């Protein structure tokens, strides 16, 4: 067994120019997130979502591989997503594709950060 | 009012050489996280924590300013934390200090990423 280089990969994903109506709805954001988690091969443990007044959604899906989280600013058509993964069982790229498509993002900026580098 | 440069600040915090006994306990990790969120000036909305078998904890505290999340690897004395904030009401640095102290981390690596840069 080879020594892993880090404990996990952390994808910071900025979804811009999304459909604001989708970003306003906690039900819709939650449904998309849970589906993205399952379809990318993650094992869903639980989720927690919150609807802000007048609008905006925060939420997280805890997965056996770590988490997917989102915060939406519908007034700016922006969703800030992060996906923390460990292991090789899931494909964060598939989750990002699903989220970008479902939120109708016209611009996607993804940064990958390695977490807990082993020496 | 000046235009904000980004929607939020995202702190990626690697806590290394922690006390593994603390990282094993979901009750203790949750207590420390909720307290860190409150003491740094955040407004706590809700939280979700999970205990892995045989050990390890994942959890998130949703706050009005976004979130604090943690994943622990007690077998490696490692905790991977991230704090997503918007606004200037809270002090992530205070939360990081509390977490490092309570987990007895001997090494702390903090990276700040600006999220959703406005053009």
């Amino acid at each position: 067994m080879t020594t892993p280089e880090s404990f996990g990969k952390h994808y910071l994903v900025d979804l811009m120019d999304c459909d604001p109506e989708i970003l306003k709805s906690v039900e819709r954001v939650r449904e998309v997130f849970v589906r993205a988690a399952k379809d990318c091969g993650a094992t869903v443990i639980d989720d927690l979502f919150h609807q802000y007044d007048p609008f905006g959604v925060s939420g997280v899906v805890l997965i056996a591989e770590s988490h997917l989280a989102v915060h939406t600013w519908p007034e700016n058509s922006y969703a800030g997503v992060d996906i923390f993964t460990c292991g090789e069982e899931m494909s964060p790229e598939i989750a990002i594709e699903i989220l970008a498509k479902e939120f109708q993002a016209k611009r996607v900026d993804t940064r990958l950060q390695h977490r807990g580098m082993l020496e």
Side-chain angles (χ1 to χ4, degrees), chain A:
Chain A
M1 203 173 92
T2 56
T3 304
E5 291 178 356
S6 69
F7 290 101
K9 294 177 184 173
H10 205 158
Y11 294 78
L12 310 185
V13 187
D14 291 320
L15 300 177
M16 293 162 283
D17 301 329
C18 300
D19 181 337
E21 291 306 315
I22 298 170
L23 301 187
K24 281 181 185 174
S25 161
V26 69
E27 291 82 8
R28 198 145 173 198
V29 171
R30 180 181 176 277
E31 185 276 322
V32 169
F33 257 75
V34 172
R35 178 154 51 87
K38 290 179 177 169
D39 286 359
C40 79
T43 301
V44 173
I45 292 172
D46 207 345
D47 69 82
L48 179 66
F49 281 80
H50 177 76
Q51 172 82 62
Y52 291 97
D53 180 23
F55 44 64
V57 172
S58 277
V60 65
V61 182
L62 284 188
I63 55 179
E65 299 81 6
S66 291
H67 78 245
L68 295 85
V70 62
H71 305 282
T72 74
W73 279 256
E75 66 274 35
N76 297 104
S77 305
Y78 170 74
V81 171
D82 70 285
I83 303 176
F84 194 141
T85 76
C86 57
E88 303 297 328
E89 298 301 310
M90 65 178 275
S91 303
E93 295 79 5
I94 291 176
I96 294 166
E97 264 181 44
I98 292 169
L99 298 173
K101 176 168 176 277
E102 295 294 336
F103 291 171
Q104 300 182 25
K106 291 185 183 63
R107 290 187 296 147
V108 180
D109 175 48
T110 301
R111 280 170 278 174
L112 171 59
Q113 298 281 321
H114 292 274
R115 299 297 308 274
M117 296 301 290
L118 294 172
E119 292 178 355

